Amino acid sequence: MSVQERKQRERAERERLIVATARELAEQQGWDAVTTRRLAERIEYSQPVLYSHFRGKREIIGAVALEGAAEMAAALRAATSAADGPRTRVTALARTYLDFAKRNPAVYDAMFQLDGGLAFAHEDTPELLKDAFAALLESLGEVAGDGVHPGLFTEVFWAALHGLATLTRAGRLPPEDTERRTELLMERLAMV
């Protein structure tokens, strides 16, 4: 291994450590607790080293969001590939999405609530975000219905899931009715 390759590998390892530590700290104490000073202390590197990887917290949030998008896409695909038939696939997708949001609140916030400097719904949207949307579209497109654009249907269904996830987490909706809400969403919106 050349010196250049070793340095690149070490740099990539430091970036993974920074992102993992930020994610862990955010999941434990919230994003307000994630500062470059605290990250530097936790990973035992100086703040200038952090800044050599990320210009600030915004970019770190973006990196966590991209990592979360990849994880969510993989989880959605795993759940839907194990399901048989459109209704079962869409139900698995909805449950997996809501479960991901519940189990990873800080990552979910990085993906959809916080400014991570990422473009959504643009040509320059990062591929990992496009792929997460594609993971939704793959199952939802088949139940969009005649004359309904699959992408638009997926956006509406995604918005409904996002609303359920954020309102439940904020205590605006009782968590004990999550399953009934999911079923209602399936029956009325997905019509499957």
Side-chain angles (χ1 to χ4, degrees), residues 4 41 105 114 117 137 144 149 187:
Q4 175 86 8
E41 288 172 2
L114 302 173
L137 180 63
H149 187 278
E187 292 169 10

Side-chain angles (χ1 to χ4, degrees), residues 29-167:
Q29 300 176 30
W31 279 104
D32 287 342
V34 179
T35 64
T36 54
R37 174 184 282 176
R38 289 187 79 190
L39 284 174
E41 288 172 2
R42 284 220 177 173
I43 66 172
E44 298 178 347
Y45 283 103
S46 68
Q47 284 182 302
V49 170
L50 273 142
Y51 286 117
S52 75
H53 291 274
F54 300 98
R55 282 183 264 171
K57 183 176 175 176
R58 181 179 187 218
E59 284 188 6
I60 294 169
I61 290 169
V64 170
L66 292 174
E67 188 176 272
E71 290 172 11
M72 186 176 77
L76 293 172
R77 286 191 174 105
T80 57
S81 70
D84 185 33
R87 180 178 178 78
T88 308
R89 270 191 294 283
V90 175
T91 300
L93 178 137
R95 287 182 178 138
T96 301
Y97 183 97
L98 294 171
D99 184 56
F100 181 88
K102 181 179 178 182
R103 285 185 300 103
N104 304 284
V107 173
Y108 192 81
D109 284 350
M111 292 168 67
F112 302 120
Q113 304 286 93
L114 302 173
D115 178 10
L118 304 173
F120 282 82
H122 294 286
E123 283 183 32
D124 61 342
T125 297
E127 288 303 315
L128 289 172
L129 296 180
K130 289 178 182 178
D131 188 56
F133 184 78
L136 294 168
L137 180 63
E138 290 162 10
S139 292
L140 294 170
E142 71 180 319
V143 299
D146 294 336
V148 177
H149 187 278
L152 291 176
F153 178 79
T154 300
E155 290 171 353
V156 171
F157 198 91
W158 172 31
L161 288 174
H162 176 70
L164 289 174
T166 56
L167 291 170

Side-chain angles (χ1 to χ4, degrees), residues 6-18 53:
R6 182 181 53 79
K7 286 183 179 186
Q8 287 176 336
R9 188 188 75 224
E10 289 171 354
R11 180 172 178 75
E13 288 173 7
R14 274 193 311 273
E15 276 191 20
R16 281 192 295 277
L17 178 61
I18 293 165
H53 291 274

